């Protein structure tokens, strides 16, 4: 889960850097969806602590162990 979050924010940072470089060097225009992507990323970052707490509380209450679920999925 943390790898996917990290990849998302790294890709967003790369997009921001490339867009700023493009605008500064006047080789292109800013991506019209960049502002939207930044707002979504900020919203996700603000909601992350609550989501993690909720996830950990759900994981604590589990009745069936992860190995058992993996075994069910692996059955043909």
């Amino acid at each position: 889960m943390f790898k996917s979050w990290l990849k998302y924010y790294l890709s967003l940072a790369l997009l921001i850097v490339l867009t700023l470089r493009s605008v500064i060097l006047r080789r292109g225009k800013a991506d019209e969806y960049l502002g939207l992507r930044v707002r979504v990323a900020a919203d996700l970052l603000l909601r992350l602590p609550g989501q993690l707490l909720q996830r950990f509380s759900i994981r604590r209450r589990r009745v069936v162990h992860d190995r058992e679920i993996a075994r069910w999925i692996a059955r043909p």
Side-chain angles (χ1 to χ4, degrees):
M1 180 172 116
F2 292 107
K3 280 185 182 180
S4 59
W5 280 86
L6 182 63
K7 283 183 0 182
Y8 173 73
Y9 283 106
L10 287 177
S11 69
L12 181 65
L14 178 65
L15 176 69
I16 291 170
V17 167
L18 291 176
T19 301
L20 288 175
R21 186 184 77 175
S22 175
V23 169
I24 289 170
L25 297 177
R26 299 186 191 283
R27 292 185 182 157
K29 61 177 187 169
D31 184 2
E32 61 188 59
Y33 296 110
L34 181 63
L36 177 63
R37 291 176 185 161
V38 169
R39 283 194 305 270
V40 167
D43 187 52
L44 285 173
L45 196 58
L46 290 174
R47 293 175 190 255
L48 180 62
Q51 290 174 349
L52 289 177
L53 285 174
Q54 191 175 31
R55 180 179 189 272
F56 290 134
S57 71
I58 290 170
R59 299 284 295 167
R60 250 192 348 246
R61 293 181 298 199
R62 70 180 176 214
V63 177
V64 179
H65 200 276
D66 290 340
R67 284 181 288 200
E68 184 71 17
I69 294 172
R71 198 166 54 96
W72 293 343
I73 293 171
R75 281 189 198 160

